[in-house]
Amino acid sequence: MVTSANQIDRLLPRHESVINLDLTWDVRMNRNLWKKEEVSAPATIRDISLEGALVQVESTHEHAVGDRITVRFRGHEGTAVVRHCREGEDNTLLYGVRFVPDPAFVDCLCDAVGEIRGHSAELRRAWQRPN
């Protein structure tokens, strides 16, 4: 089944997150004296679609438009590309990001958007891409 542009428009609206969807932002490995350790920042998804999200992060984690950020959502790692950034409230930044398609990460996004919309099975069937 091929998804047309009109169908994608209906599938990709942003859904405000009424529940806090936590995201781990900027996951990377730093080398200390004798070992590597993971560093990251907690973030909150303010709204989400199948293609991207609006993410709120502390202002100490600043990135430029076009930066590729490794994120972790519900135990799955993915890549997000920063599309825009603006100041939020309480020393935070709001990043508009677009997710780089990865099958496991897309499944995780489908589940989250489906929970918000209330019919995840229909959403998953409509979003399946041809190989």
Side-chain angles (χ1 to χ4, degrees), residues 2 11 26 36 43 50 59 65 69 81-83 113 120 128 130:
V2 176
L11 294 171
D26 198 11
K36 287 185 178 180
L50 293 175
S59 62
V65 172
I69 310 298
V81 178
V82 175
R83 306 291 281 174
V113 173
S120 60
Q128 287 176 346

Side-chain angles (χ1 to χ4, degrees), residues 25-26 28 41-42 57-63 91-93 95:
W25 179 258
D26 198 11
R28 63 189 186 285
V57 184
E58 289 181 16
S59 62
T60 57
H61 299 275
E62 196 168 333
H63 294 280
N91 263 349
T92 62
L93 294 171
Y95 288 100

Side-chain angles (χ1 to χ4, degrees), residues 22-118:
D22 295 325
L23 179 81
T24 305
W25 179 258
D26 198 11
V27 179
R28 63 189 186 285
M29 297 300 285
N30 272 358
R31 181 176 277 294
N32 285 342
L33 230 38
W34 292 284
K35 63 180 180 177
K36 287 185 178 180
E37 65 181 16
E38 183 180 285
V39 293
S40 60
T44 303
I45 296 175
R46 293 294 170 208
D47 66 39
I48 189 170
S49 75
L50 293 175
E51 189 176 57
L54 181 65
V55 180
Q56 185 175 9
V57 184
E58 289 181 16
S59 62
T60 57
H61 299 275
E62 196 168 333
H63 294 280
V65 172
D67 283 357
R68 295 172 72 90
I69 310 298
T70 301
V71 296
R72 186 177 300 127
F73 181 63
R74 296 183 173 176
H76 297 280
E77 283 193 11
T79 302
V81 178
V82 175
R83 306 291 281 174
H84 61 82
C85 177
R86 68 177 189 256
E87 289 185 22
E89 299 172 1
D90 301 327
N91 263 349
T92 62
L93 294 171
L94 294 171
Y95 288 100
V97 298
R98 183 175 189 169
F99 297 117
V100 176
D102 172 80
F105 197 71
V106 168
D107 282 348
C108 190
L109 292 174
C110 283
D111 291 342
V113 173
E115 288 169 14
I116 293 169
R117 287 180 64 160

